[in-house]
Amino acid sequence: MDNASAAADHAATNSAAHGADPQLVTLADIRVAADRIQDLVLRTPIVALPHPDRPSDVLHLKAESLQPTGAFKLRGAYNTISQVLDESRERGIIAQSSGNHARAVAWLAKRLDLRAVIVMPDAAPPTKVAAVRALGAEVVLVPASERDSRTLELAAEHGYVEVPPYDDVRIIAGQGTVGLELIDQLPDVDVVLVPISGGGLISGIATAIKSLRPEVQVIGVEPELAADAAESLREQRRITWDTTLTYRTVADGLRTPAVGVHPWEHIRRYVDDLVTVSEEQILTAVRHIAVEGRLVAEPSGAVATAAWMHDLAPRGATVAAIVSGGSVDPALMARVLAG
Amino acid sequence: MDNASAAADHAATNSAAHGADPQLVTLADIRVAADRIQDLVLRTPIVALPHPDRPSDVLHLKAESLQPTGAFKLRGAYNTISQVLDESRERGIIAQSSGNHARAVAWLAKRLDLRAVIVMPDAAPPTKVAAVRALGAEVVLVPASERDSRTLELAAEHGYVEVPPYDDVRIIAGQGTVGLELIDQLPDVDVVLVPISGGGLISGIATAIKSLRPEVQVIGVEPELAADAAESLREQRRITWDTTLTYRTVADGLRTPAVGVHPWEHIRRYVDDLVTVSEEQILTAVRHIAVEGRLVAEPSGAVATAAWMHDLAPRGATVAAIVSGGSVDPALMARVLAG
């Protein structure tokens, strides 16, 4: 399958789940989401990180890694589930993810007393599978290539309510609450750096920020080895990379082969630029965030900081970066810290 | 010198700096401090940490490690300096510390455009000395045993304004703002666990909490290898341990040989109990806080969490622990994470 047809296929699969043309989230949607989710979601702090070479130059980290499940995913998942709570209680919920979305959905299901089925790739690390099971969710292991189709089949067969990972306006509105908080906490921000994978996070943040402060630059950051979004923006069309390419990066949360259909519509309207970082730059950022920011960031969560450290993104007087998650393998973190 | 006379000597030295009998800080003092320091001090978040063996049992971490200088020390230092700002600007400030207090004072001096002299032990790690110098402070290296006396001499000789590390009511009131925030963020807290060394932090927190919610238990935690405070409470008198004993612990922020004179008066009135943790329990807590709480804690910052993990402190429905600092040697953190 070539890139274009793979993209079309991916789009078809994803849109089928919610059966609508791409819609744009509004600031009002994000404000409503903020009210809906505030009882279980942490208003994450802004943590100051000095530049390694220019100590008086400080990056403002929005530490989504401190959410109870270790990543921003809780916001979108909760905003979605809370809108379909009655049917979710009756029929159960289903989600597909190998990582932070799985954990967020399982955690919410436990808190809200819902039955949850999580479809995970059979190559997922046993510790991640165990973590989801420990939260009481049922795990279904399938080959990675069948994740989307098996999830839809199971949902159709059993009537489960699907909680999509990123290609959904409810998810985007939930993730956008990060942007609302950021503008409130750091009103004079000039540049906001956001990790990008499926695109739900940056879509929500860019919508919030451009609605409130159009002059603020919103920049997406992804690994060079999984740079489908940067290529898409350059080519002005949504491009899919094969997972044999995207799975090369250590940033295991950023291996999605293409941004979603709904995110793409937000990204092309609201995002100023997309930049890429190398594997070495990502790991250097993980170390710097730990030593000088005292936060545990996973590689995916460190890409925005990496772009700032290496002057790969536009500079500004007040720059913020989203640390999107902190679920890192302890052995990897040990190697990074040992230097 | 035996313990009792060492204690007396220590008390005399410390009291001399501010020349008054021990005074008790009030809730009003802490509220004023909160106003004074809010422009430069982070309102630190409460981060949820699941128990390693009982996942539904959660500890609420107050992450002081996320302060711009990596520890709570910024609060007391700023509350002190802001009350003597005119003379500090004219004459400069001096502080003695090998760790987080030094960094806080140097950082504040840079922010407030003050001349700062930091007296550090000549055995301090070169990285810590370099970090203080990088902030623009002048470092004076002296033998560890001469730190107090040299600081007083330099202050007398040059007219520097001293910013004491813990034995001062302004410092205690500043640290007490942690307690004010905690009660606001976690109104139904039952038990609060606090690392103890010189005693400034727990004195302020206990004063705030017992004034607002007398039924909440405030428990101090220190290493078994530096258990001077626990012995003091048991004996109902302030006891000094020799530094050849206290320097055995990996928790390098908790090696102070005795709680201060002012802290002692607060501790014996307001603190419910003091418990101790082993070196292994401390390092296990550092690892657990990193992996499940996604926070980098230094060993000193992890002792309260260690007491909770190992059921060494009173249990309650809602338990909080202060993670007091995060300035850990990367090589130590790497070893802890490698397991």
Side-chain angles (χ1 to χ4, degrees):
Chain A
M1 198 185 297
D2 65 18
N3 276 350
S5 59
D9 179 64
H10 191 76
T13 307
N14 273 280
S15 293
H18 24 85
D21 284 339
Q23 291 171 280
L24 290 179
V25 167
T26 66
L27 181 61
D29 295 331
I30 298 171
R31 288 201 159 123
V32 172
D35 281 342
R36 274 197 202 104
I37 69 175
Q38 52 85 26
D39 64 327
L40 294 180
V41 168
L42 182 68
R43 183 183 163 92
T44 51
I46 305 285
V47 175
L49 183 75
H51 194 279
D53 308 317
R54 306 183 298 267
S56 61
D57 195 356
V58 164
L59 179 67
H60 303 273
L61 303 178
K62 176 78 171 152
E64 285 298 301
S65 50
L66 299 179
Q67 292 294 352
T69 58
F72 72 95
K73 292 283 189 180
L74 200 56
R75 297 175 183 262
Y78 189 26
N79 186 48
T80 302
I81 293 170
S82 64
Q83 293 178 62
V84 289
L85 200 53
D86 288 345
E87 49 268 55
S88 296
R89 224 179 275 284
E90 198 179 314
R91 291 153 43 195
I93 58 179
I94 191 167
Q96 69 95 345
S97 157
S98 60
N100 289 322
H101 180 60
R103 194 162 168 189
V105 171
W107 187 88
L108 286 164
K110 187 178 167 74
R111 280 302 189 97
L112 302 169
D113 202 20
L114 309 173
R115 178 179 174 201
V117 176
I118 309 290
V119 178
M120 300 182 79
D122 49 18
T127 51
K128 290 203 173 179
V129 176
V132 170
R133 285 199 172 121
L135 286 164
E138 179 187 335
V139 173
V140 177
L141 296 173
V142 304
S145 59
E146 297 174 18
R147 287 195 296 175
D148 281 359
S149 58
R150 285 291 290 147
T151 303
L152 291 174
E153 279 168 31
L154 285 166
E157 190 178 337
H158 299 279
Y160 302 138
V161 175
E162 195 195 348
V163 185
Y166 53 87
D167 204 351
D168 186 290
V169 291
R170 300 164 300 179
I171 297 287
I172 292 171
Q175 320 304 30
T177 59
V178 176
L180 271 194
E181 290 177 15
L182 181 62
I183 288 287
D184 186 53
Q185 292 168 306
L186 209 62
D188 56 359
V189 67
D190 298 307
V191 179
V192 180
L193 309 174
V194 189
I196 181 167
S197 182
L201 178 63
I202 196 169
S203 292
I205 289 176
T207 301
I209 288 179
K210 292 292 186 177
S211 303
L212 289 164
R213 295 272 315 281
E215 72 281 15
V216 175
Q217 288 191 76
V218 179
I219 311 290
V221 186
E222 65 187 345
E224 286 171 7
L225 298 185
D228 55 281
E231 189 182 340
S232 298
L233 195 67
R234 205 162 49 238
E235 301 287 328
Q236 281 295 303
R237 63 188 174 89
R238 199 170 141 272
I239 289 170
T240 300
W241 279 30
D242 197 275
T243 50
T244 55
L245 295 177
T246 63
Y247 268 61
R248 294 171 301 169
T249 179
V250 68
D252 56 3
L254 307 183
R255 293 170 176 164
T256 306
V259 297
V261 173
H262 292 81
W264 172 242
E265 296 303 318
H266 294 77
I267 290 165
R268 65 191 192 87
R269 275 176 184 77
Y270 297 130
V271 173
D272 293 283
D273 202 2
L274 297 176
V275 302
T276 62
V277 290
S278 72
E279 299 295 293
E280 190 187 337
Q281 287 165 342
I282 295 170
L283 294 177
T284 303
V286 168
R287 181 187 166 94
H288 188 61
I289 292 170
V291 175
E292 294 298 329
R294 295 163 297 278
L295 291 168
V296 174
E298 60 186 275
S300 307
V303 294
T305 302
W308 173 80
M309 285 172 63
H310 298 91
D311 294 326
L312 300 169
R315 290 167 69 170
T318 306
V319 182
I322 314 300
V323 175
S324 50
S327 305
V328 63
D329 173 18
L332 172 64
M333 184 59 111
R335 285 197 300 277
V336 165
L337 287 172
Chain B
M1 196 186 293
D2 65 20
N3 276 350
S5 59
D9 179 65
H10 191 78
T13 306
N14 273 279
S15 292
H18 23 85
D21 284 340
Q23 291 171 279
L24 290 180
V25 166
T26 66
L27 181 61
D29 296 330
I30 298 171
R31 288 202 159 124
V32 172
D35 281 341
R36 275 197 202 104
I37 69 175
Q38 54 85 24
D39 65 328
L40 294 180
V41 168
L42 182 69
R43 181 181 164 94
T44 52
I46 304 286
V47 175
L49 184 75
H51 194 277
D53 308 317
R54 305 182 298 265
S56 60
D57 195 356
V58 165
L59 180 67
H60 302 272
L61 303 178
K62 176 80 170 153
E64 285 298 301
S65 50
L66 299 180
Q67 292 294 351
T69 58
F72 71 96
K73 292 283 189 179
L74 200 55
R75 296 175 184 264
Y78 190 25
N79 186 48
T80 302
I81 293 170
S82 63
Q83 293 178 63
V84 288
L85 200 53
D86 288 345
E87 49 266 56
S88 296
R89 225 180 273 283
E90 197 179 317
R91 291 153 43 195
I93 57 179
I94 191 166
Q96 69 96 345
S97 158
S98 60
N100 289 321
H101 181 60
R103 195 164 167 188
V105 171
W107 186 89
L108 286 164
K110 186 177 167 74
R111 281 302 190 98
L112 302 169
D113 201 22
L114 309 174
R115 178 179 176 200
V117 177
I118 309 290
V119 179
M120 300 182 79
D122 50 18
T127 53
K128 291 203 173 177
V129 175
V132 170
R133 286 198 172 121
L135 287 164
E138 179 186 335
V139 173
V140 178
L141 295 173
V142 305
S145 59
E146 296 175 18
R147 287 195 297 174
D148 280 0
S149 58
R150 285 292 288 146
T151 303
L152 291 174
E153 279 168 32
L154 285 166
E157 189 177 336
H158 300 278
Y160 302 138
V161 175
E162 194 194 350
V163 186
Y166 52 87
D167 204 352
D168 185 289
V169 291
R170 300 163 301 179
I171 296 287
I172 293 171
Q175 321 302 29
T177 60
V178 175
L180 271 194
E181 290 178 16
L182 182 62
I183 288 287
D184 185 53
Q185 293 168 306
L186 209 62
D188 56 359
V189 67
D190 298 309
V191 179
V192 180
L193 309 175
V194 188
I196 182 167
S197 183
L201 178 63
I202 197 170
S203 292
I205 289 177
T207 301
I209 288 179
K210 292 291 185 178
S211 303
L212 289 163
R213 295 272 314 282
E215 72 281 15
V216 175
Q217 289 191 75
V218 179
I219 310 291
V221 185
E222 66 186 346
E224 286 171 6
L225 299 185
D228 55 281
E231 188 182 341
S232 297
L233 196 67
R234 205 163 47 239
E235 302 287 327
Q236 281 294 304
R237 64 188 174 88
R238 199 170 140 275
I239 288 170
T240 299
W241 279 30
D242 196 276
T243 51
T244 55
L245 296 177
T246 63
Y247 269 61
R248 294 171 302 168
T249 180
V250 67
D252 57 3
L254 307 182
R255 292 168 177 166
T256 305
V259 296
V261 174
H262 292 81
W264 172 243
E265 295 303 318
H266 293 77
I267 291 165
R268 65 191 194 86
R269 276 176 182 76
Y270 296 131
V271 172
D272 294 283
D273 202 3
L274 297 177
V275 302
T276 61
V277 290
S278 72
E279 299 296 292
E280 190 187 337
Q281 288 165 341
I282 295 170
L283 294 178
T284 303
V286 168
R287 181 187 165 93
H288 188 63
I289 292 169
V291 174
E292 294 298 330
R294 294 163 298 277
L295 291 168
V296 174
E298 59 186 276
S300 307
V303 295
T305 302
W308 173 79
M309 284 173 62
H310 298 93
D311 295 326
L312 299 168
R315 290 166 70 168
T318 305
V319 181
I322 314 300
V323 176
S324 50
S327 304
V328 62
D329 173 18
L332 172 64
M333 184 58 109
R335 285 197 299 277
V336 166
L337 287 172

